[in-house]
Amino acid sequence: MKKYECSPCAYIYDPEVGDPDGGIAPGTPFEDIPDDWVCPVCGLGKDMFEVVE
């Protein structure tokens, strides 16, 4: 699964880890995260994330 980076703050969403504090279980692909989820570091939305190559 692809990792995604929050452009402004450089937080990396790793699907293998998820975001347990944000209610996202490990193994959840970025595409399956609810649209109202926000970056746990800076609070910006999913639209600020880009695929990490």
Side-chain angles (χ1 to χ4, degrees):
M1 286 186 277
K2 296 178 182 176
K3 295 179 182 180
Y4 285 75
E5 179 179 25
C6 182
S7 298
C9 77
Y11 167 79
I12 302 288
Y13 175 77
D14 183 347
E16 292 183 13
V17 176
D19 177 22
D21 293 338
I24 308 299
T28 303
F30 187 79
E31 296 80 10
D32 292 348
I33 297 173
D35 290 335
D36 62 352
W37 178 81
V38 296
C39 175
V41 174
C42 70
L44 294 176
K46 283 179 66 176
D47 59 335
M48 298 304 294
F49 283 74
E50 296 179 357
V51 175
V52 176
E53 297 297 335

